[in-house]
Amino acid sequence: MLKTTLLKFTVALLFISTVTVVAQTPEEKGLQIAIESDKRDVGFGDSQSELKMILRNKQGDESTRQMSNKTLEVNGDGDKSLVIFNEPRDVKGTAFLSFTHKSGPDDQWLYLPALKRVKRIASDNKSGPFMGSEFAYEDISSQEVEKYTYKYIKDEKMNSMDCYLVERYPVDKSSGYTRQEVWYDKEHYRTMKVVFYDRKNSKLKTLTYEGYKQYLSKYWRADKLLMENHQTGKTTDLIFKDYKFANGFSESDFNKNSLKRAR
């Protein structure tokens, strides 16, 4: 009887010890979810797409811009991207180049054809609005894992989809945000929604991803990014179409000279 009791006690201790070893803190689990989400998008190489930007003021009045977008995946660092404005005439030829980095501030430039010059976006101005939209310059960059610290909050359903809710906190002191709430779907680890909090920790904006489609039997891209500013009542929609991969882009397609020759 004594041996049986001791055996049960030993097994119980081993079980408790095992649970203790594998248990994750909310911070560790949040980071693990972010890493898994990032890992599932590695290897796409390059992509291009056409997109429409719809700006709405508080009264619902709209203005529309047509753009082209190119992205190059960079091994060991963040993505490079080039956005070219095609319409309307007053912004035609404007081009935005971004080099996202895993650590340190991103490099970003804006070419203004009316001035015929390339303007560098200062690192302390990344919270400013991108071309008058509700997207900030820091929102346009690829969201590298290393740019944040993380904390898992809870499991939560969104539109009948099982999701993880994770808070992330920008490492960059120049960020316009104190924190962001991010919902990842459990099946594919896609970002479904992000709520942004400003430097006063007040709710600022909500970004919703819609119309995900899978490309190359692996990579998910949303057709629509809907950004709502809760403090101003303004919204901006980004609507993507005609995604193409394996375009053969190289580093030379993403430099300051490419800004000036962008059409």
Side-chain angles (χ1 to χ4, degrees):
M1 182 68 178
L2 179 60
K3 288 184 178 180
T4 302
T5 302
L6 286 173
L7 179 61
K8 288 181 178 179
F9 181 69
T10 303
V11 170
L13 284 177
L14 287 172
F15 175 76
I16 292 170
S17 176
T18 302
V19 170
T20 302
V21 169
V22 299
Q24 289 180 300
T25 65
E27 290 77 13
E28 289 169 340
K29 186 170 181 178
L31 176 59
Q32 182 187 45
I33 292 168
I35 290 173
E36 181 63 28
S37 177
D38 181 70
K39 186 172 68 175
R40 295 193 181 206
D41 199 49
V42 170
F44 70 88
D46 66 47
S47 68
Q48 65 176 337
S49 61
E50 300 299 314
L51 62 152
K52 179 192 294 185
M53 176 187 280
I54 303 174
L55 309 173
R56 293 187 197 86
N57 62 20
K58 190 174 183 179
Q59 291 71 39
D61 300 323
E62 292 186 359
S63 60
T64 302
R65 295 168 178 173
Q66 300 288 345
M67 303 133 73
S68 302
N69 178 57
K70 298 178 180 179
T71 302
L72 178 69
E73 187 177 28
V74 178
N75 291 330
D77 204 358
D79 298 342
K80 295 186 176 183
S81 61
L82 176 64
V83 178
I84 304 164
F85 288 78
N86 301 317
E87 294 179 16
R89 183 178 297 178
D90 63 338
V91 296
K92 182 178 175 62
T94 301
F96 173 69
L97 179 65
S98 177
F99 293 179
T100 306
H101 302 302
K102 291 182 179 292
S103 62
D106 298 337
D107 294 309
Q108 296 179 329
W109 300 268
L110 190 67
Y111 175 65
L112 303 169
L115 301 177
K116 295 184 178 179
R117 73 182 184 92
V118 175
K119 174 186 175 184
R120 186 183 181 93
I121 308 300
S123 59
D124 59 357
N125 194 37
K126 299 298 171 63
S127 61
F130 173 64
M131 293 296 289
S133 74
E134 299 313 303
F135 287 84
Y137 283 99
E138 63 183 299
D139 303 334
I140 301 298
S141 301
S142 60
Q143 303 300 298
E144 303 300 322
V145 172
E146 293 83 356
K147 289 189 171 298
Y148 303 93
T149 58
Y150 301 85
K151 183 179 181 180
Y152 164 77
I153 303 300
K154 61 180 178 179
D155 291 2
E156 186 169 272
K157 280 191 178 292
M158 177 180 293
N159 300 325
S160 302
M161 185 181 297
D162 291 328
C163 293
Y164 298 110
L165 171 56
V166 174
E167 276 194 344
R168 64 186 185 189
Y169 313 93
V171 174
D172 186 357
K173 301 301 182 184
S174 298
S175 173
Y177 312 118
T178 53
R179 61 188 175 99
Q180 301 170 16
E181 296 173 333
V182 187
W183 283 259
Y184 301 91
D185 78 279
K186 287 189 175 182
E187 183 177 3
H188 302 294
Y189 288 80
R190 300 168 301 190
T191 303
M192 306 306 297
K193 186 170 80 169
V194 183
V195 177
F196 302 84
Y197 292 82
D198 64 18
R199 289 171 178 166
K200 296 180 180 179
N201 204 27
S202 297
K203 189 176 181 179
L204 175 61
K205 302 185 297 188
T206 296
L207 174 61
T208 306
Y209 293 72
E210 295 183 356
Y212 268 107
K213 291 184 175 65
Q214 192 177 39
Y215 297 86
L216 305 180
S217 301
K218 182 177 181 181
Y219 305 108
W220 292 93
R221 296 291 183 273
D223 285 344
K224 294 182 181 180
L225 274 60
L226 313 176
M227 183 74 86
E228 178 184 5
N229 190 314
H230 302 290
Q231 298 182 6
T232 66
K234 296 179 180 180
T235 64
T236 299
D237 298 351
L238 288 179
I239 302 173
F240 296 79
K241 66 176 185 179
D242 299 334
Y243 267 108
K244 295 181 177 67
F245 293 81
N247 301 282
F249 295 148
S250 66
E251 297 278 350
S252 62
D253 296 308
F254 297 83
N255 57 41
K256 286 188 285 186
N257 289 330
S258 67
L259 280 173
K260 296 180 180 180
R261 64 174 183 265
R263 292 291 185 272

